[in-house]
Amino acid sequence: MLPEAFQQRMRLMMGEEYEDFLKTFGEERYHALRLNPLKKDQEGHTVLEKYRDGNMTGFAHLTEVPWACGGYYYKGEDQPGKHPFHDAGLYYIQEPSAMVPVTLLEACLGERVLDLCAAPGGKSTQIGAAMQGKGILICNEINAARAKILSENVERMGICNACVTNETPERLAEFFPGYFHRILVDAPCSGEGMFRKNEAACQEWSPENVELCAGRQDGILDCAARMLCPGGRLVYSTCTFAPEENEGSIGRFLQRHGDFEILPVDEEKLGFGADRYPVRFNFIDNISGLEHTLRIWPHRVKGEGHFAAVLRKTGSLREDLIKGGGQVQIRHSAAGGAVKGIAEKEAEGLEEFCRENIRLPADFRSGGLFSGIGQAVGMGEAVKGIRFGGHIYLVPGEMPSLKGLKVLRPCLHLGEIRKNRFEPSHALALVLPPEYGAHIWNLKAEDALTAAYLKGQTFPAQGEKGWYLVCIEGFTMGWGKLAGGIMKNHYPRGLRRRDFMNFIS
């Protein structure tokens, strides 16, 4: 049951299209996933290259989402969340309209990018895929529980250059004034666009909550404005229909920030029709450009309701960044200078592990151990290792100090030093291409051993003693350690699947 006040407002907004709009709430919603171009199989093919035609093992034929690279619609009976490809990070299940804001962000290799309201991680991992490990991606979430989920999804999708923080926008703005080239604000909102997907959002809706969300959005946008560098790009998005939270938020923002302008959204390039609004309307007097924002209506496209606006801060952005070329040379002293690295002699256990279990080409090692790992996982050689307690992480070489911030994940977790030995992390397995593994154990999606592995069980195996990259259809999924004819399971306890046999059966 839709709230009466919501229906009254939408009837005024929609005019003669209201009945078509209303019908969508009784129809089945569209399902989509986004293939992960960062994952490569044993032959060096990415997921996107291997399954571009939509024929993925265990799925009905996938059809493309026109506005997102790697986006595909799937059929509801496919149940991709129970497929082993999900655990291996081959795709992210994401509402199709929610893929639009990152497409509009146009993140490039080598940039400094912020996803300010990032949980659960769909948009962060989409940004990370576009950046291909080059540059610095800060993914922030104010809610601690949701920040943990964000961190897990960043790890599962193999985003190696993403730092996950659990901070307020105000706190981040103190640390990073004028620092980022691009910022995404997927703002917390009243969630009207998700009524068909989430019944709780409908039950919790009220006009008062709409006003509360609009006020919160003003504060978040002000913080984002402080953190964007001159010439930078800011994308604001919501999953609501409320004018106060959409055109209203952008209109109020432009009144407070005269150094920003709206950039037109090319809806035809995205695959939308020319008419975005059933009725043309402007909510703020004397604010031009609001007609260039984007509304996604569920009765017009295969997706839920969304809003997006692209803003630019006045000033000049370096030409090489606009074209996406080169590694950024950061001269910013945010948060007290650069992260302190660790000398390679402090990571002797990691050195020994790599020598025995990772096959890095000789030219990769010319810049040192961390440079070699950085090249192997796609970050490039401009990286360094840092130590958090007994844990070793790999970060971009120009990563600023994050001292004083709540950091859940500095970047790529390599592993842990335990009693003078090194134990690799699950994150390293997910990001490491199989071609660099000294030992590989490949499983099939329908194989009962796959179910056993994801449940945390050991299984009989014959081969050379040592650490193995356990793969699914050629894509890395985790670690195993073979000794005495038994593959010891190193799949993390917190990720083990009790329901996996549902897929096998």
Side-chain angles (χ1 to χ4, degrees):
M1 295 293 292
L2 296 173
E4 182 60 33
F6 169 78
Q7 293 189 59
Q8 290 177 0
R9 186 244 286 158
M10 295 308 300
R11 189 177 291 110
L12 291 174
M13 287 176 60
M14 305 296 292
E16 62 183 16
E17 292 195 32
Y18 175 71
E19 291 303 322
D20 290 336
F21 168 78
L22 193 62
K23 288 179 183 177
T24 64
F25 292 93
E27 299 171 351
E28 183 180 356
R29 64 184 180 89
Y30 290 93
H31 304 272
L33 54 80
R34 184 171 38 78
L35 298 181
N36 185 1
L38 301 180
K39 295 286 290 190
K40 294 182 179 180
D41 66 8
Q42 288 174 276
E43 285 73 44
H45 300 126
T46 68
V47 177
L48 199 55
E49 292 169 342
K50 192 168 184 177
Y51 300 111
R52 187 181 297 275
D53 61 359
N55 292 319
M56 179 179 279
T57 305
F59 285 80
H61 190 76
L62 303 173
T63 56
E64 288 189 72
V65 175
W67 51 79
C69 177
Y72 286 83
Y73 294 102
Y74 66 87
K75 297 186 180 300
E77 60 267 23
D78 286 335
Q79 296 186 302
K82 295 183 178 181
H83 198 289
F85 285 171
H86 180 271
D87 301 80
L90 270 62
Y91 52 76
Y92 190 100
I93 301 170
Q94 190 172 17
E95 197 282 312
S97 296
M99 301 178 188
V100 170
V102 174
T103 299
L104 297 176
L105 190 66
E106 299 180 356
C108 297
L109 282 68
E111 293 183 323
R112 304 189 294 272
V113 182
L114 170 65
D115 187 357
L116 187 52
C117 313
K123 295 179 178 65
S124 285
T125 56
Q126 190 177 356
I127 295 170
M131 296 179 73
Q132 299 178 40
K134 307 298 192 302
I136 296 174
L137 172 60
I138 304 293
C139 312
N140 182 70
E141 171 58 41
I142 190 172
N143 181 281
R146 286 170 55 82
K148 182 179 179 182
I149 296 172
L150 166 64
S151 184
E152 291 173 350
N153 280 323
V154 165
E155 176 178 289
R156 180 174 62 85
M157 297 296 284
I159 311 299
C160 56
N161 62 324
C163 170
V164 178
T165 58
N166 172 214
E167 282 292 352
T168 65
E170 292 79 9
R171 182 68 170 157
L172 286 182
E174 294 176 4
F175 272 70
F176 299 109
Y179 183 74
F180 295 101
H181 299 107
R182 299 180 194 267
I183 297 177
L184 174 65
V185 176
D186 185 45
C189 65
S190 56
E192 297 173 0
M194 295 294 107
F195 281 178
R196 181 165 61 167
K197 177 182 176 182
N198 185 353
E199 184 176 346
C202 184
Q203 295 173 345
E204 295 170 2
W205 184 90
S206 70
E208 293 76 20
N209 189 44
V210 169
E211 293 182 11
L212 180 65
C213 289
R216 185 183 298 125
Q217 291 154 4
D218 289 348
I220 294 173
L221 278 170
D222 288 344
C223 291
R226 290 176 58 191
M227 291 185 277
L228 193 66
C229 71
R233 188 182 189 95
L234 189 158
V235 172
Y236 173 81
S237 63
T238 72
C239 58
T240 188
F241 302 112
E244 300 94 325
E245 302 179 65
N246 294 335
E247 293 86 356
S249 287
I250 295 301
R252 295 190 301 273
F253 175 81
L254 292 175
Q255 288 181 325
R256 299 191 304 273
H257 299 274
D259 55 341
F260 278 80
E261 62 178 345
I262 296 178
L263 299 182
V265 173
D266 188 342
E267 69 276 9
E268 292 186 3
K269 184 178 179 181
L270 292 172
F272 299 133
D275 293 328
R276 296 184 298 278
Y277 300 112
V279 178
R280 294 288 179 179
F281 47 82
N282 197 331
F283 300 101
I284 305 294
D285 293 336
N286 303 319
I287 299 293
S288 63
L290 290 178
E291 68 276 11
H292 296 308
T293 59
L294 175 70
R295 272 186 177 266
I296 302 175
W297 299 100
H299 66 292
R300 287 176 172 260
V301 302
K302 295 179 179 179
E304 303 303 314
H306 267 71
F307 171 85
V310 182
L311 301 167
R312 179 184 178 275
K313 194 173 188 177
T314 57
S316 298
L317 188 65
R318 278 175 38 182
E319 187 67 22
D320 61 339
L321 290 180
I322 295 174
K323 295 179 179 179
Q327 178 71 27
V328 177
Q329 297 300 314
I330 300 176
R331 297 183 176 85
H332 198 281
S333 60
V339 168
K340 294 182 179 180
I342 62 174
E344 291 194 19
K345 65 179 181 180
E346 295 183 88
E348 294 180 356
L350 174 60
E351 175 74 50
E352 181 180 356
F353 171 84
C354 290
R355 185 169 55 249
E356 296 177 355
N357 302 288
I358 299 180
R359 294 173 175 168
L360 298 177
D363 56 339
F364 277 21
R365 295 298 298 271
S366 61
L369 173 62
F370 294 114
S371 173
I373 298 175
Q375 292 179 77
V377 302
M379 293 177 71
E381 60 182 340
V383 297
K384 59 187 171 187
I386 62 172
R387 183 191 293 240
F388 272 54
H391 296 265
I392 297 178
Y393 290 82
L394 195 69
V395 303
E398 299 295 339
M399 173 69 81
S401 172
L402 304 173
K403 185 178 181 180
L405 292 177
K406 296 177 184 176
V407 179
L408 274 68
R409 172 190 170 92
C411 264
L412 175 59
H413 185 205
L414 296 180
E416 184 179 5
I417 300 173
R418 293 183 176 180
K419 297 180 181 179
N420 297 322
R421 64 179 176 83
F422 177 82
E423 185 159 315
S425 72
H426 184 58
L428 179 59
L430 289 173
V431 76
L432 196 65
E435 63 182 296
Y436 299 124
H439 310 101
I440 301 293
W441 193 276
N442 196 34
L443 299 171
K444 297 293 184 180
E446 296 86 358
D447 195 333
L449 287 182
T450 302
Y453 178 74
L454 291 176
K455 287 182 176 182
Q457 298 172 7
T458 61
F459 56 84
Q462 296 297 324
E464 186 177 346
K465 179 181 178 180
W467 286 91
Y468 279 68
L469 281 173
V470 179
C471 299
I472 179 75
E473 307 281 356
F475 295 94
T476 54
M477 186 165 59
W479 291 107
K481 194 173 184 181
L482 181 58
I486 297 295
M487 185 71 74
K488 185 178 179 181
N489 197 309
H490 282 264
Y491 198 74
R493 292 182 181 276
L495 300 179
R496 294 176 182 177
R497 302 286 296 272
R498 295 181 178 179
D499 63 342
F500 186 73
M501 285 304 291
N502 290 343
F503 171 75
I504 297 297
S505 60

